[in-house]
């Protein structure tokens, strides 16, 4: 298990098949997602290999549930030890935002958004925006919408370029190192590397959802659909996930077909994935946002509550070379949700966070409640790593229930009981 933590190790231990597995953590989450944001890719890769080589037996499977660098590390480790899993080249094509769109355009040109690669350090990029307003500016490689900006005017474009120049290397340099591990015939796009950004045409619609699935011997299978709700200045900050999504079967099948086309062009096989798509509820038109070569850890407790086993079950079975089992709906709840409690302050110092005692009191009423407080007292909001450009994620709340109203009422009780106190920073101190 690469880049795991106690929270997810406990979830995996509750999977029925886990009694037959020996789970070995390799690199803690804090090593692959350090608070300061800086890491060296090859240092992590070599450390992971040393840990695995020191075990008393060779691994039967290697898995992870986090975005880059974990997805990349897992692909290289599987290749090194001769284990099933998506190839490093396929993982890179999913992770590299420009490369993925380039390949997507080859199989579905009519629905692929316009994309331009740009070097935020170049004079040319600073002279004029690469697309007509309004568009999104994103790094070639990042996650959690970090350094993602909606650009509506020149001032916003200049501000976004400045932010990219300050921090794009945090993931850009390690990603370039990963790209250096790919085969010589991988055909990496010359237009963009990890320190580049992309300008992308807007494709957002009213509804956003994710399908989770796997590819086994060339067959793309979807085993779950999760609805995403958004909030914030541009409705770009994620507020909650709901499983199972209330979507018609034909919409989910259409999503599977779209993703299958792209995955086949990418060369993705023998692994799990999650893909995000926008849905126009009037025309039922689908637009693909991205494909991630991993399960979503955010969905893991939801699968546990509804199906009796987290989505790690599918990831581990795929990594063992088996055809993953489909969820069986044997959990305690009919549906489940994750709520992301956010601050939309420009910046601030956290003076109070919910206590363990407060969480435990709530568990007397809500026994299956899971809470992750993501920031400590005394911390500065802007020191949180991997945040989107318009908010800060303070706490995650996972809840199950028999219907939407039950879950919403439980969340409102939690939100009212688990309070934060944030002291705003003086304007001149805000970064």
């Amino acid at each position: 298990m690469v880049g795991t933590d106690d929270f997810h190790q406990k979830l995996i231990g509750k999977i029925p098949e886990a009694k037959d597995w020996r789970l070995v953590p390799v690199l803690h989450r804090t090593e692959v997602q350090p608070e300061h944001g800086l890491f060296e890719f090859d240092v992590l890769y070599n450390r992971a290999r040393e840990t695995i080589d020191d075990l008393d037996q060779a691994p039967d499977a290697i898995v992870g549930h986090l975005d880059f660098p974990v997805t990349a590390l897992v692909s290289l480790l599987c290749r090194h030890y001769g284990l099933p899993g998506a190839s490093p080249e396929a993982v890179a094509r999913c992770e590299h935002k420009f490369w993925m769109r380039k390949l997507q355009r080859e199989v579905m040109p009519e629905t692929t958004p316009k994309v331009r690669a740009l070097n935020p350090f170049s004079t040319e990029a600073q002279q004029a925006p690469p697309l007509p307003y309004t568009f999104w500016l994103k790094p070639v490689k990042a996650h959690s919408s970090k350094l993602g900006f909606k650009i509506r005017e020149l001032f916003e474009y200049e501000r976004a370029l400045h932010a990219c120049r300050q921090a794009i290397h945090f993931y850009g340099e390690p990603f370039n190192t990963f790209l250096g591990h790919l085969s010589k015939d991988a055909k990496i796009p010359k237009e963009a590397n990890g320190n580049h950004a992309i300008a992308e045409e807007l494709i957002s619609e009213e509804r956003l959802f994710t399908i989770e699935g796997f590819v086994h011997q060339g067959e793309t299978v979807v085993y779950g659909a999760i609805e995403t709700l958004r909030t914030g200045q541009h409705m770009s900050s994620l507020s909650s996930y709901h499983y199972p999504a209330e979507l018609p079967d034909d919409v989910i099948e259409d999503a599977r077909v779209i993703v299958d086309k792209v995955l086949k062009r990418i060369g993705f096989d023998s692994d799990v994935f999650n893909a995000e798509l926008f849905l126009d509820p009037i025309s039922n038109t689908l637009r693909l946002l991205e494909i991630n070569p991993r399960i979503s850890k955010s969905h893991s407790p939801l699968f546990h509550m509804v199906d009796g086993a987290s989505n790690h079950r599918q990831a581990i079975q795929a990594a063992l070379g088996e055809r993953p089992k489909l969820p069986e709906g044997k959990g305690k709840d009919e549906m489940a949700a994750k709520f992301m409690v956010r601050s939309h302050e420009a910046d601030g110092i956290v003076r109070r966070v919910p206590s363990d005692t407060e969480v435990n009191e709530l568990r007397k009423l809500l026994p299956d409640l899971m809470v992750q407080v993501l920031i400590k007292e005394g911390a500065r909001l802007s020191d949180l790593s991997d945040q989107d450009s318009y908010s800060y994620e303070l706490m995650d709340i996972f809840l199950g229930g028999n219907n939407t109203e039950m879950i919403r009422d439980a969340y409102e009780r939690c939100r009212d009981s688990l309070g934060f106190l944030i002291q705003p920073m003086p304007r001149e101190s805000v970064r």
Side-chain angles (χ1 to χ4, degrees), residues 283-328:
S283 66
N284 274 355
T285 301
L286 292 170
R287 303 292 294 274
L288 177 63
L289 176 59
E290 63 183 19
I291 301 176
N292 299 300
R294 56 174 173 81
I295 61 169
S296 168
K297 70 176 179 60
S298 292
H299 301 160
S300 298
L302 312 187
F303 280 98
H304 168 75
M305 291 176 179
V306 174
D307 299 313
S310 82
N311 49 359
H312 292 93
R313 173 195 249 179
Q314 285 76 25
I316 292 172
Q317 289 173 338
L320 288 166
E322 303 170 2
R323 180 186 175 88
K325 290 183 179 179
L326 299 181
E328 299 169 325

Side-chain angles (χ1 to χ4, degrees), residues 21-287:
W21 299 334
R22 177 188 171 196
L23 302 171
V24 181
V26 175
L27 301 177
H28 191 266
R29 179 191 57 78
T30 55
E31 294 179 85
V32 298
Q33 292 183 341
E35 289 187 9
H36 51 70
L38 291 170
F39 61 90
E40 293 187 41
F41 183 84
D42 277 350
V43 169
L44 294 177
Y45 179 48
N46 292 330
R47 190 182 302 162
R49 284 177 53 177
E50 289 170 2
T51 302
I52 295 171
D53 288 342
D54 286 342
L55 299 176
D56 56 10
Q57 65 183 85
D60 298 298
I62 299 174
V63 299
H65 54 235
L66 296 175
D67 208 324
F68 183 82
V70 171
T71 46
L73 292 168
V74 168
S75 70
L76 290 174
L77 291 168
C78 286
R79 183 177 71 179
H80 176 75
Y81 292 100
L83 297 172
S87 69
E89 290 74 26
V91 168
R93 291 171 190 135
C94 290
E95 298 271 19
H96 192 303
K97 293 186 185 298
F98 182 78
W99 198 356
M100 184 270 191
R101 289 299 192 203
K102 187 175 181 179
L103 296 174
Q104 179 190 353
R105 186 172 298 281
E106 293 179 12
V107 293
M108 49 181 63
E110 67 285 352
T111 57
T112 302
K114 295 177 182 177
V115 176
R116 297 288 183 273
L118 63 99
N119 179 351
F121 301 93
S122 71
T123 303
E124 181 182 355
Q126 297 171 45
Q127 287 176 342
L131 286 178
Y133 303 122
T134 300
F135 61 88
W136 278 99
L137 186 71
K138 313 172 184 178
V140 158
K141 182 62 252 166
H143 63 79
S144 306
S145 299
K146 183 179 177 66
L147 294 180
F149 297 93
K150 192 173 187 178
I151 309 300
R152 299 165 299 181
E153 58 181 339
L154 183 60
F155 169 73
E156 291 180 333
Y157 178 61
E158 292 173 341
R159 185 177 61 180
L161 282 182
H162 176 72
C164 284
R165 289 193 293 269
Q166 297 296 309
I168 200 168
H169 64 284
F170 280 27
Y171 281 94
E173 288 300 320
F175 191 62
N176 284 340
T177 302
F178 169 52
L179 295 179
H181 285 277
L182 304 187
S183 62
K184 293 181 180 179
D185 58 352
K187 298 181 181 179
I188 302 170
K190 296 179 180 179
E191 301 97 318
N193 62 40
N195 288 322
H196 282 68
I198 63 167
E200 183 170 278
E201 175 189 15
L202 296 185
I203 60 169
S204 57
E205 296 288 355
E206 181 179 334
R207 297 185 72 176
L208 175 65
F209 69 96
T210 301
I211 55 173
E212 289 226 10
F214 59 84
V215 183
H216 181 74
Q217 297 181 359
E219 180 189 9
T220 300
V221 178
V222 171
Y223 59 76
I226 301 90
E227 184 111 20
T228 301
L229 300 186
R230 294 165 288 165
T231 187
Q233 181 179 350
H234 300 299
M235 294 301 289
S236 60
S237 297
L238 307 181
S239 60
S240 59
Y241 298 127
H242 300 263
Y243 174 68
E246 295 181 2
L247 291 168
D249 290 344
D250 59 339
V251 170
I252 296 174
E253 172 59 15
D254 289 346
R256 188 200 68 81
V257 170
I258 289 171
V259 173
D260 176 66
K261 287 181 181 179
V262 179
L263 288 176
K264 280 185 167 55
R265 179 64 189 89
I266 284 171
F268 186 94
D269 202 354
S270 304
D271 218 328
V272 291
F273 68 88
N274 76 81
E276 296 180 71
L277 300 100
F278 287 109
L279 169 67
D280 180 339
I282 297 176
S283 66
N284 274 355
T285 301
L286 292 170
R287 303 292 294 274

Side-chain angles (χ1 to χ4, degrees), residues 139 145 157 232 315 360 417 429:
S145 299
Y157 178 61
N360 290 332
S417 302
S429 299

